[in-house]
């Protein structure tokens, strides 16, 4: 006969007589299908029993297994009333028989087998719970619900957990379920009656599936994965479950929810509930502390189940035993917990899919993932054969020779070869996973190198008093790290300096378990920490307050080239889309910005980029953050006061940000310009006149950027460059801005305009502002007046901004601000509209009041001064004397400026300050202004 079942293998009958008897039950079958039935039933009494009961149905089912499966499902959906229990049991018999034969024949893959079992389990639960809800509604036991609510089970959702949730149900598995109901579907006064009804429905549903009758059973149900099952009812309100997980949820429950899936009842309500649990399951930081938790769980399982002894394949537990299925699942789930909070692509329910995703993202070596995947599939096949024999909920290999022979016959294998293969796989799985959970657990603490004995013991002795080391768990993890940490400190150029810097880092840590676990799992980070602590006090202090930024280093792309603004914008938008409310989006932006800010600093510190590149990257990051957060502020503000009237507002970056070059400590100079059009008021719940609307919107925007929140602040904001300075409104209309610049602004405000650049807001408004800027700057001016006022400004600045020493490259004659001022004057007295210093100096040359050689000398000096300024801010957060930054900082200053010795750099700076000051003074004192109009 032709068959729809592809048969690539046929089991051997352990008992040929039993096989022949089964074959005689289905005389319509011949050839391979008949041999398949004989082999399966000759080794499995359970399959023989099913064949006897479903002999009339089986031949047609094997002719078209897919149609047979759909038919079983359709029959279940049509079941009602008294036919429900016997109908579900008959469906289970047919499904079990069909699945077994399709599995044994090689016609269905592991995923098809487990998928059929899982989908059937979900269907049975759905049919049973809706039947119970319908009965309760008819009896008026669920207040306020009608027959229309049956389709959503009155708000009761069933979450499939474990293998059921992952579509990995095994052949004789029970089904792990959590039953919850949406309490918002009921009047608060009816809550207790509703809960009582939902509990009754859940109990009756479980009985409908698990009670053994003359027709057998459907599925054993297990509801013990719910919150605190010893004291809670079998069906909980979602709000109560959410409170439990937020306050008391444990690591094993987080791991369980990786596979959680709404499978029956109110699917939409279940999805909403799982969405609320995302922050509980998927931590925002890399959660390496979960490794120890998972290891402890594994040890408890081994102790309770007695599965931790030597490996003997006869009697071995293929699920919980050494090298078994659970080892692979724990390995996969724990790594998903570690990284899934930062990478949504790792949030997969299936073990095989999870391993593939982890390998693709570099969290698991590809060869390890491939080996574990192959062994997982092989383990599951053996597990299914064990369970097929008697439909027993067991994962243990038989102990007797006959029992092992039955399994070998079902797999058409030689018993000895089967045992050898299983042993090899178990041992390899154990070797690959055990090292991950307890790396070096048996090793004695490493001895400190001799050099570390010279470190200040008094400093080390106070570490246990620091907040991060007060918890026993944090202290225990740190003790394992300390020998390696001190060994690496001892190898630095100045161990004593590095130890003091490391001490400051540890003192500032509010907690240590997560970070120390991160170091334990990724020892290469210790080198980075020691490098940072020994070089940059500012970066080390930042790390102690924001240790979560270390997560970014593990991602694999940390040391890649700068991605550019477009990719940064896309990444930030993706991060924002994952957050559900305004405050979460602001905090998400802060975390994201800190990670990239840290990355730029580390790249600069390591010499991967120079000061010019660092300055450009800091500025581009700030621009992306402003452009990303502005729409969020507008949307939040509009909820109360309506959308922005007219074309909205644009953010005009000024100063260094406008010029596209800031350092690690820069504040952001900006002006908010709006165009209300003809609108006088906003349209919203609480409308505002346009001027107060934009003033309050601007204040909300500045708050979003600068307010210290849970994740710190983004940037300090300076709005003093707006028209009329601190005396003027915080936001200015486009008309007001242009009129002010044309009629009232001082020369210094025109100078500031040479560096202005729109970084956020309506594209049309931005283009109009830029058109005005370029047109206005291109207008002819009295050169002598500009230079005279610039000279006066220079005098005032010199009095107000006294340099802090030779290492203050910003303030003082001949230094950065002085050169910037001259460059802006060059832009203002020429047709130059570019914003950088070198182009502005070129404008001065074009205007005839600066020569080429002096312009080039000033530009070269500015580049050196910027390198010093950018490096000094990264080292200490201010322009400080080199002797205060330590040996590591001094080496960094020399490396980033290209000088061999700090003394030589200092001499060069002093000489350049003097020469640049003289050039500027001479340029501003020339009578070139006599040429009149430019």
């Amino acid at each position: 006969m032709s068959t729809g079942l592809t048969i690539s293998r046929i089991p051997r009958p352990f008992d040929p007589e039993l096989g022949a008897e089964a074959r005689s039950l289905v005389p319509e079958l011949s050839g391979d299908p008949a041999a398949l039935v004989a082999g399966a039933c000759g080794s499995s009494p359970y399959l023989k029993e099913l064949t006897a009961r479903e002999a009339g149905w089986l031949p047609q089912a094997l002719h078209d297994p897919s149609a047979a499966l759909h038919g079983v499902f359709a029959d279940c959906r049509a079941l009602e009333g008294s036919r429900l229990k016997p109908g579900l049991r008959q469906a289970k018999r047919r499904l079990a028989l069909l699945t077994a034969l399709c599995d044994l024949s090689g016609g269905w893959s592991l995923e098809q087998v487990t998928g059929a079992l899982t989908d059937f389990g979900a269907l049975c639960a759905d049919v049973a719970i809706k039947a119970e809800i319908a009965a309760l509604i008819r009896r008026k036991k669920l207040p306020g619900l009608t027959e229309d609510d049956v389709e959503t089970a009155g708000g009761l959702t069933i979450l499939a957990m474990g293998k059921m949730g992952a579509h990995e149900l095994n052949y004789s598995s029970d089904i792990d379920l959590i039953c919850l109901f949406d309490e918002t579907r009921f009047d608060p006064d009816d809550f207790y009656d509703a809960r009582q009804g939902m509990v009754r429905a859940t109990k009756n549903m479980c009985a409908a599936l698990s009670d053994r009758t003359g027709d057998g059973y459907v599925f054993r149900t297990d509801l013990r994965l719910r919150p605190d099952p010893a004291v809670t009812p079998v069906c909980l309100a979602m709000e109560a479950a959410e409170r439990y997980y937020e306050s008391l949820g444990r690591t094993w429950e987080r791991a369980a929810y990786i596979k959680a899936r709404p499978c029956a009842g109110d699917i939409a309500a279940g999805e909403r509930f799982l969405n609320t649990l995302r922050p509980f399951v998927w931590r925002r930081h890399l959660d390496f502390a979960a490794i120890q938790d998972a290891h402890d769980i594994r040890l408890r399982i081994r102790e309770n189940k007695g599965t931790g002894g030597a490996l003997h394949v006869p009697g071995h537990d293929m699920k919980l035993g050494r090298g078994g299925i659970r080892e692979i699942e724990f390995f996969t789930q724990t790594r998903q917990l570690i990284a899934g909070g930062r990478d949504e692509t790792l949030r997969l329910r299936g073990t095989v899919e999870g391993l593939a995703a982890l390998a693709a993202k570099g969290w698991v070596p590809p060869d390890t993932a491939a080996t574990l995947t192959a062994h997982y599939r092989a383990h599951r096949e053996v597990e299914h054969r064990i369970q097929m024999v008697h439909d027993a909920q067991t994962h243990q290999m038989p102990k007797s020779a006959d029992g092992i022979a039955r399994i070998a016959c079902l797999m058409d294998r030689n018993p000895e070869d089967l045992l050898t293969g299983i042993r090899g796989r178990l041992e390899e799985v154990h070797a690959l996973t055990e090292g991950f959970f307890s790396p070096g657990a048996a090793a004695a603490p490493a001895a400190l190198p001799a050099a570390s004995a010279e470190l200040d013991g008094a400093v080390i002795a106070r570490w246990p008093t620091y907040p991060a080391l007060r918890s026993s768990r944090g202290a225990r993890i740190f003790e394992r790290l300390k020998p390696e940490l001190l060994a690496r400190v001892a190898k630095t150029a100045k161990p004593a300096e590095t130890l003091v810097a490391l001490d400051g880092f540890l003192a500032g840590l509010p907690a240590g378990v997560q970070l120390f676990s991160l170091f334990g799992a990724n020892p290469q980070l210790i080198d980075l920490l020691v490098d940072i602590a020994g070089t940059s006090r500012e970066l080390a202090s930042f790390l102690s307050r924001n240790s979560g930024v270390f997560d970014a280093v593990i991602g694999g792309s940390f040391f890649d080239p700068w991605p550019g603004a477009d990719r940064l914008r896309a990444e930030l938008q993706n991060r924002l889309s994952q957050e559900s409310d305004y405050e979460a989006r602001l905090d998400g932006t802060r975390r994201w910005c800190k990670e990239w800010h840290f990355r730029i600093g580390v790249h600069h510190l390591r010499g991967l980029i120079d000061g010019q590149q660092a300055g450009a990257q800091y500025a581009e990051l700030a621009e992306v953050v402003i452009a990303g957060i502005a729409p969020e502020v507008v949307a939040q503000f509009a909820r109360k006061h309506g959308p922005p009237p007219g074309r909205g507002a644009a953010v005009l970056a000024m100063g260094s940000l406008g010029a596209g070059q800031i350092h690690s400590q820069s504040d952001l100079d900006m002006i908010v310009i709006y165009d209300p059009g003809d609108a006088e008021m906003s349209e919203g719940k609480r409308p505002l006149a346009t001027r107060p609307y934009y003033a309050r919107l601007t204040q909300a925007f500045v708050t979003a950027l600068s307010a210290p929140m849970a994740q710190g602040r983004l940037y300090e904001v300076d709005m003093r460059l707006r028209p009329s300075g601190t005396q003027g409104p915080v936001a200015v209309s486009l008309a007001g801005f242009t009129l002010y610049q044309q009629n009232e602004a001082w020369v210094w405000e025109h100078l500031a305009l040479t560096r202005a650049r729109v970084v956020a807001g309506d594209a049309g408004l931005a283009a109009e502002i830029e058109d005005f800027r370029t047109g206005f700057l291109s207008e002819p001016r009295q050169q002598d007046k500009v230079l005279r006022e610039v000279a006066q400004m220079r005098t005032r600045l010199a009095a107000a901004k006294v340099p802090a020493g030779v290492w203050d490259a910003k303030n003082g004659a001949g230094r950065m601000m002085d050169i910037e001022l001259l460059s802006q004057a060059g832009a203002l007295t020429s047709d130059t509209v570019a914003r950088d210093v070198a182009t502005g100096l070129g404008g001065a040359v074009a205007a005839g009041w600066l020569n080429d050689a002096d312009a080039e000398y000033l530009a070269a000096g500015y580049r050196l001064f910027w390198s010093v300024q950018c490096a000094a801010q990264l080292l200490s957060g201010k322009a400080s004397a080199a002797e205060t930054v330590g040996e590591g900082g001094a080496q960094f200053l020399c490396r980033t400026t290209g000088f061999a010795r700090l003394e030589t750099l200092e001499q060069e700076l002093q000489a350049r300050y003097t020469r640049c000051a003289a050039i500027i003074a001479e340029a501003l004192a020339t009578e070139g202004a006599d040429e009149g109009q430019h």
Side-chain angles (χ1 to χ4, degrees):
M1 62 174 285
S2 64
T3 177
L5 177 63
T6 301
I7 299 178
S8 60
R9 60 193 183 195
I10 296 176
R12 302 191 313 273
F14 173 77
D15 183 341
E17 291 184 9
L18 198 64
E21 184 181 335
R23 186 169 184 164
S24 68
L25 294 171
V26 281
E28 300 95 327
L29 296 180
S30 61
D32 285 349
L36 171 64
V37 170
C41 296
S43 296
S44 166
Y46 174 61
L47 294 180
K48 164 62 169 56
E49 177 192 348
L50 294 184
T51 300
R53 299 192 67 169
E54 300 298 335
W57 170 83
L58 182 58
Q60 187 60 35
L62 289 182
H63 178 74
D64 191 345
S66 179
L69 183 65
H70 288 136
V72 169
F73 279 39
D75 290 344
C76 285
R77 292 191 185 95
L79 293 172
E80 293 180 351
S82 61
R83 294 180 54 242
L84 183 67
K85 284 190 175 183
L88 290 178
R89 281 153 180 76
Q90 181 186 56
K92 173 61 182 295
R93 290 197 302 270
R94 291 179 171 179
L95 180 93
L97 181 57
L98 180 65
T99 303
L101 294 176
C102 290
D103 184 5
L104 291 169
S105 68
W108 282 4
S109 66
L110 174 65
E111 285 75 15
Q112 285 176 290
V113 171
T114 59
L117 293 167
T118 303
D119 289 342
F120 180 70
L123 176 61
C124 291
D126 192 59
V127 169
I129 195 62
K130 287 177 179 175
E132 293 301 328
I133 293 295
L136 289 172
I137 289 175
R138 286 195 300 270
R139 295 164 52 201
K140 309 296 184 185
K141 296 296 185 180
L142 289 174
L145 298 191
T146 69
E147 288 187 5
D148 292 339
D149 295 300
V150 173
E151 184 56 32
T152 57
L156 188 152
T157 189
I158 299 178
L159 301 182
M161 308 297 287
K163 287 183 171 63
M164 175 84 164
H167 267 92
E168 296 173 344
L169 214 58
N170 59 47
Y171 194 75
S172 297
S173 178
D174 57 5
I175 52 177
D176 294 304
L177 308 174
I178 293 179
C179 296
L180 307 168
F181 72 95
D182 181 2
E183 71 284 350
T184 64
R185 295 275 290 266
F186 300 93
D187 187 282
D189 292 339
D190 295 329
F191 173 78
Y192 292 105
D193 288 340
R195 185 177 69 176
Q196 186 176 7
M198 292 300 184
V199 168
R200 183 180 298 115
T202 300
K203 289 179 177 179
N204 290 345
M205 178 269 295
C206 291
L209 298 182
S210 58
D211 283 355
R212 284 189 177 273
T213 70
D215 295 307
Y217 71 103
V218 188
F219 286 101
R220 292 172 290 266
T221 57
D222 190 339
L223 304 177
R224 290 174 297 175
L225 286 181
R226 70 183 184 274
D228 207 356
V231 297
T232 56
V234 292
C235 185
L236 287 81
M238 290 180 179
E239 190 266 342
E242 185 180 348
R243 281 204 318 270
Y244 167 85
Y245 291 120
E246 285 179 351
S247 59
L248 299 172
R250 291 158 289 182
T251 298
W252 73 263
E253 288 171 307
R254 293 176 55 212
Y257 268 93
I258 291 177
K259 296 187 175 187
R261 174 177 58 89
C263 71
D266 192 337
I267 302 294
E271 294 286 4
R272 289 194 299 272
F273 175 76
L274 290 183
N275 193 50
T276 65
L277 286 197
R278 274 194 319 170
F280 163 66
V281 180
W282 304 109
R283 301 289 167 82
R284 300 186 188 282
H285 50 70
L286 293 178
D287 190 12
F288 281 93
I291 296 176
Q292 185 63 46
D293 291 335
H295 181 51
D296 293 343
I297 293 169
R298 290 164 69 247
L299 294 180
R300 286 198 295 273
I301 290 174
R302 289 178 182 177
E303 181 179 345
N304 293 338
K305 300 290 185 180
T307 57
L311 202 162
H312 300 289
V313 177
H316 190 78
D317 192 317
M318 295 298 298
K319 177 182 177 182
L320 301 178
R322 183 187 184 103
I325 294 167
R326 183 58 56 83
E327 300 279 303
I328 302 172
E329 292 174 338
F330 267 31
F331 177 87
T332 306
Q333 290 172 3
T334 305
R335 285 192 175 272
Q336 287 176 292
L337 283 180
I338 289 168
R342 293 174 55 84
D343 188 345
E344 284 193 344
T345 65
L346 300 178
R347 301 177 188 180
L348 301 172
R349 295 183 177 101
T351 302
V352 171
E353 297 91 334
L355 280 169
L358 290 165
K361 292 303 182 75
W363 288 98
V364 174
D367 56 342
T368 298
T371 299
L372 291 176
T373 296
H375 292 352
Y376 174 79
R377 290 180 178 279
H379 282 2
R380 293 301 307 272
E381 184 177 356
V382 172
E383 175 190 47
H384 284 179
R385 303 304 175 268
I386 293 170
Q387 294 176 342
M388 281 178 191
V389 176
H390 295 293
D391 187 31
Q393 188 188 11
T394 180
H395 311 274
Q396 287 189 331
M397 282 292 292
K399 294 181 180 179
S400 68
D402 282 356
I404 291 171
R406 282 184 185 273
I407 305 303
C409 284
L410 283 172
M411 302 180 72
D412 194 22
R413 299 282 302 279
N414 175 281
E416 290 304 319
D417 290 345
L418 176 65
L419 293 176
T420 300
I422 291 174
R423 172 181 285 279
R425 289 191 293 270
L426 292 169
E427 288 176 344
E428 191 165 14
V429 168
H430 182 72
L432 288 172
T433 58
E434 190 70 13
F436 166 67
F437 285 109
S438 51
L448 293 178
S452 66
E454 300 175 9
L455 298 175
D456 189 344
V459 173
I460 299 170
R462 62 177 177 247
W463 287 352
T465 67
Y466 293 161
L469 288 153
R470 286 178 189 157
S471 75
S472 59
R473 187 177 182 190
R476 187 170 62 250
I477 299 171
F478 183 76
E479 281 304 309
R480 294 201 298 265
L481 290 176
K482 190 163 73 172
E484 183 67 19
L485 192 60
L486 293 178
R488 299 193 189 199
V489 168
K491 293 176 184 176
T492 60
K494 295 283 186 178
E497 286 183 7
T498 306
L499 181 67
V500 171
L502 179 64
D503 177 66
F505 168 77
L506 292 172
L509 277 177
V513 170
Q514 286 293 343
L515 182 63
F516 299 154
S517 298
L518 179 72
F519 286 147
N522 301 273
Q524 74 274 16
L525 289 183
I526 297 177
D527 278 333
L528 181 59
L529 172 63
V530 169
D531 191 10
I532 290 171
T535 306
S536 169
R537 285 199 305 272
E538 178 62 24
L539 212 50
S541 175
F542 170 82
L543 274 178
S544 68
R545 301 188 306 272
N546 304 278
S547 59
V549 298
F550 266 123
D551 292 358
V553 184
I554 309 300
S557 61
F558 184 80
F559 291 104
D560 287 355
W562 183 249
D566 289 343
R567 279 183 54 195
L568 287 174
R569 275 191 286 269
E571 185 176 307
L572 178 57
Q573 284 306 310
N574 181 57
R575 184 73 66 94
L576 290 172
S577 69
Q578 297 173 23
E579 304 297 349
S580 58
D581 60 65
Y582 179 65
E583 290 299 332
R585 290 190 185 98
L586 295 188
D587 268 346
T589 304
R590 293 184 184 100
R591 282 190 299 274
W592 181 85
C593 182
K594 285 177 186 295
E595 289 175 4
W596 280 101
H597 209 265
F598 173 64
R599 181 189 189 277
I600 298 169
V602 171
H603 278 226
H604 191 193
L605 208 63
R606 287 280 178 96
L608 300 176
I609 55 176
D610 60 24
Q612 312 302 314
Q613 293 168 305
Q617 291 178 13
Y618 283 127
E620 197 162 60
L621 176 63
E623 179 181 344
V624 168
V625 168
I626 292 170
I629 213 168
E632 300 294 336
V633 176
V634 170
Q636 178 70 9
F637 194 78
R639 289 189 180 95
K640 183 182 293 185
H641 301 294
R647 285 192 291 175
V651 179
L652 187 65
M654 307 293 288
S656 297
L657 179 61
Q661 192 173 59
I662 63 176
H663 56 68
S664 61
Q665 305 297 316
S666 290
D667 54 13
L668 305 184
D669 295 301
M670 61 180 66
I671 299 172
V672 173
I673 301 174
Y674 64 92
D675 180 16
D678 297 329
E680 296 182 357
M681 299 281 291
S682 66
E683 297 180 2
K685 296 177 184 177
R686 297 169 61 182
L688 293 170
T690 54
R691 184 169 177 174
Y693 181 100
Y694 282 106
R696 290 174 61 177
L697 176 62
T698 300
Q699 289 167 341
F701 175 63
V702 172
T703 298
L705 287 173
S706 59
M709 307 292 282
Q711 298 295 326
R713 73 175 83 240
L714 280 166
Y715 295 98
E716 295 283 0
V717 175
D718 189 341
M719 303 194 74
R720 289 175 295 178
L721 289 178
R722 67 185 187 269
S724 302
T726 56
Q727 303 303 312
V730 292
V732 60
S733 70
L734 177 63
F737 177 77
T738 56
L739 286 172
Y740 180 84
Q741 290 289 343
Q742 291 167 331
N743 302 315
E744 300 179 46
W746 298 78
V747 169
W748 72 264
E749 291 175 292
H750 294 165
L751 293 172
L753 200 61
T754 65
R755 309 179 84 189
R757 180 168 56 95
V758 178
V759 294
D762 176 79
L765 179 57
E768 195 167 331
I769 293 170
E770 178 59 14
D771 288 344
F772 167 77
R773 188 189 83 92
T774 55
F776 183 70
L777 292 179
S778 299
E779 292 176 2
R781 286 176 172 77
Q782 289 185 330
Q783 186 169 288
D784 59 340
K785 178 183 178 183
V786 171
L787 297 183
R788 188 166 55 252
E789 293 210 23
V790 168
Q792 293 170 358
M793 286 176 60
R794 185 170 183 256
T795 301
R796 290 195 296 272
L797 280 172
K801 300 279 189 179
V802 179
V806 69
W807 299 104
D808 182 357
K810 179 180 180 181
N811 301 300
R815 308 190 190 200
M816 283 172 56
M817 285 186 66
D818 214 10
I819 299 173
E820 288 170 358
L821 189 61
L822 196 75
S823 170
Q824 291 168 47
L828 200 60
T829 56
S830 67
D831 291 329
T832 301
V833 294
R835 301 168 177 86
D836 62 288
V837 167
T839 304
L841 293 173
V845 174
W849 54 273
L850 188 68
N851 64 55
D852 279 324
D854 287 345
E856 177 53 38
Y857 188 87
L858 289 173
Y862 186 84
R863 287 193 295 271
L864 174 62
F865 303 160
W866 173 264
S867 294
V868 171
Q869 174 77 358
C870 194
Q873 295 289 352
L874 182 63
L875 290 174
S876 61
K878 58 187 176 184
S880 59
E883 56 266 20
T884 68
V885 299
E887 179 66 23
Q891 291 176 0
F892 170 57
L893 270 171
C894 289
R895 184 172 66 248
T896 196
T897 55
F899 284 78
R901 297 173 62 247
L902 199 63
E903 294 79 3
T904 308
L905 172 60
E906 185 174 358
Q907 292 165 7
E908 179 66 17
L909 284 173
Q910 194 61 68
R912 282 193 175 266
Y913 293 155
T914 302
R915 175 68 182 133
C916 288
I919 291 173
I920 294 169
E922 183 179 355
L924 293 178
T926 61
E927 296 302 318
D930 293 340
E931 297 173 9
Q933 294 281 338
H934 168 65

